[in-house]
Amino acid sequence: MEEQKQQQQSDLERDRQYCELCGKMENLLKCGRCRSSFYCSKEHQKQHWREHKLICKEADKAQPPSERPVQAPPPKEEDDKATEGAGASDCACSPETRRTDAPGAGDGVFDAGSNNSATPNGQSSASPQKLATEYLVPCMNKHGICVVDNFLGADIGMGILENVKALHKTGRFTDGQLVSQKSDSTKDIRGDKITWIEGREAGCEKIRFLMGRMDDLIRHCNGKLGNYTINGRTKAMVACYPGNGTGYVRHVDNPNGDGRCVTCIYYLNKDWNAKEHGGLLRIFPEGKAQFADIEPKFDRLLLFWSDRRNPHEVQPAFSTRYAITVWYFDADERARAKEKYLTGAGEKGVKVELNKPSDPS
């Protein structure tokens, strides 16, 4: 059992190793000072040094002299100064040129309630079919990330939030995992508290409705999202960041082909102010010089490819932050994963058939 636990920790550590600048995961070099950050090349290490040095030096001080590395040192201060004047043409991946709004923003983040009247129960009248075919499919196939605001309407959103808060009070949420690093300190991989919901549990009726609407949306997209054939999903992971500055380090949901192809997240945070509350989801789309900052706004739905194309992180949250995540399976990849025993027997390995449309009342 202990050996299996150590192997799982080793796998988690390996999966969270990325170039700090571009997100590449292969042929990485470890920073010689802090031993906790990675780069795909010395050039990217130099370009990122101005940002990285703030934490790198502190990590180095925290290590006992006898355990400090004797590997190649990080860039010198003059290397830092040499990159300060570089423009976009000199360094397409410099921090200043990587920032962007959520993908889809250039085409307009879809507001499901902006041009549609609400039904009596507060639900947006935008049909799942229209939303899927006219916005979600083209946006996902172009960007790999898609944002839908006012997905269900305020009334239903509040009902889901009440379900989640009541669930939170029951004490069913469990802490995220910690992974011990090679240095003396222990670093959080994730600081959220989570529970898994099938949707049939007492007091989760509105959560079940949300899952049904997610399923409706994906069903109308099926056969049109990349080359995927979606035939099921996980249970819903209900997550809470308690607002004490915890987050989730950069990672990939499905780095090893476990079958999950689309990550679908619904946010439940009223009056969220990212400047004050933090908690942004930052996505680093593979092969692009920009990252996407997604605010966890109330009644916002976010979808993105679950594989290595979208490394992402949850930045420290300073107010209670709720989200509900479902992962959808590609039939072929899921079958291959089962044959190779990649997924183990955790909750994410439980396939759940897509819900049929349900009554929100």
Side-chain angles (χ1 to χ4, degrees):
M1 186 69 181
E2 183 63 28
E3 182 178 345
Q4 182 180 6
K5 184 177 180 181
Q6 291 177 353
Q7 181 61 43
Q8 290 174 342
Q9 290 180 339
S10 177
D11 291 343
L12 282 169
E13 174 128 356
R14 184 184 67 252
D15 292 343
R16 62 175 294 270
Q17 293 175 0
Y18 306 89
C19 174
E20 294 287 340
L21 186 63
C22 69
K24 184 178 178 182
M25 302 175 69
E26 291 79 24
N27 302 318
L28 298 177
L29 304 172
K30 184 183 292 186
C31 174
R33 173 181 278 162
C34 68
R35 296 188 293 179
S36 62
S37 293
F38 297 82
Y39 296 93
C40 65
S41 65
K42 291 184 178 179
E43 184 62 29
H44 276 197
Q45 183 188 28
K46 288 181 180 180
Q47 292 175 13
H48 193 250
W49 173 239
R50 180 169 53 180
E51 183 177 337
H52 175 60
K53 68 179 180 180
L54 301 175
I55 60 173
C56 183
K57 293 179 180 179
E58 292 302 316
D60 183 44
K61 291 176 183 178
Q63 298 180 44
S66 61
E67 296 186 13
R68 289 180 184 173
V70 293
Q71 303 174 44
K76 297 178 181 179
E77 294 294 332
E78 49 265 32
D79 291 329
D80 176 30
K81 295 177 181 178
T83 62
E84 288 184 0
S89 60
D90 302 311
C91 174
C93 292
S94 65
E96 291 76 16
T97 61
R98 290 164 60 218
R99 188 176 304 276
T100 183
D101 292 327
D107 304 321
V109 173
F110 188 89
D111 187 336
S114 61
N115 298 314
N116 301 282
S117 59
T119 59
N121 61 13
Q123 180 184 351
S124 166
S125 62
S127 72
Q129 183 174 5
K130 180 181 179 68
L131 182 58
T133 58
E134 295 186 9
Y135 176 67
L136 197 152
V137 168
C139 186
M140 283 292 288
N141 288 333
K142 179 179 180 180
H143 299 289
I145 306 170
C146 183
V147 178
V148 180
D149 281 339
N150 300 306
F151 178 54
L152 296 177
D155 290 352
I156 293 179
M158 285 303 299
I160 297 168
L161 179 58
E162 289 170 4
N163 275 187
V164 169
K165 286 183 174 180
L167 195 63
H168 195 196
K169 290 180 180 178
T170 66
R172 289 183 53 178
F173 285 62
T174 58
D175 292 336
Q177 293 176 311
L178 298 177
V179 171
S180 179
Q181 306 298 302
K182 292 182 179 179
S183 64
D184 289 346
S185 62
T186 297
K187 185 177 182 179
D188 288 348
I189 278 188
R190 56 191 299 179
D192 56 343
K193 297 177 181 293
I194 66 170
T195 190
W196 294 90
I197 295 298
E198 182 180 355
R200 299 181 184 277
E201 297 87 345
C204 296
E205 292 79 14
K206 295 299 192 296
I207 296 176
R208 176 175 173 78
F209 175 74
L210 166 67
M211 296 162 70
R213 285 303 301 269
M214 288 178 172
D215 290 351
D216 289 345
L217 202 57
I218 295 298
R219 189 181 293 108
H220 287 298
C221 293
N222 215 351
K224 301 173 185 177
L225 288 175
N227 297 317
Y228 296 122
T229 300
I230 297 173
N231 69 338
R233 58 162 169 76
T234 64
K235 296 179 181 180
M237 185 186 78
V238 183
C240 171
Y241 288 87
N244 56 358
T246 55
Y248 196 155
V249 300
R250 193 188 305 190
H251 64 285
V252 170
D253 286 350
N254 175 17
N256 297 318
D258 64 21
R260 288 176 291 161
C261 59
V262 175
T263 300
C264 190
I265 308 176
Y266 182 73
Y267 293 111
L268 289 156
N269 308 295
K270 295 284 290 183
D271 304 317
W272 193 266
N273 183 331
K275 291 183 178 179
E276 178 182 352
H277 303 141
L280 289 171
L281 180 73
R282 176 165 290 181
I283 306 177
F284 302 83
E286 182 184 48
K288 298 183 179 179
Q290 298 85 23
F291 55 71
D293 282 343
I294 314 294
E295 291 190 41
K297 293 180 178 179
F298 178 78
D299 200 26
R300 166 172 280 183
L301 186 72
L302 167 67
L303 302 95
F304 56 88
W305 302 133
S306 304
D307 60 18
R308 292 173 183 260
R309 285 173 288 181
N310 285 317
H312 55 282
E313 65 188 20
V314 176
Q315 298 189 337
F318 301 99
S319 184
T320 303
R321 180 188 188 275
Y322 291 113
I324 299 176
T325 304
V326 166
W327 288 271
Y328 287 90
F329 291 128
D330 171 62
D332 292 339
E333 184 180 309
R334 185 65 177 164
R336 291 194 300 270
K338 288 181 178 179
E339 290 178 1
K340 296 180 181 179
Y341 303 101
L342 290 180
T343 53
E347 290 281 2
K348 291 176 183 177
V350 178
K351 177 184 172 182
V352 180
E353 298 298 330
L354 273 60
N355 279 336
K356 294 180 179 180
S358 54
D359 186 350
S361 61

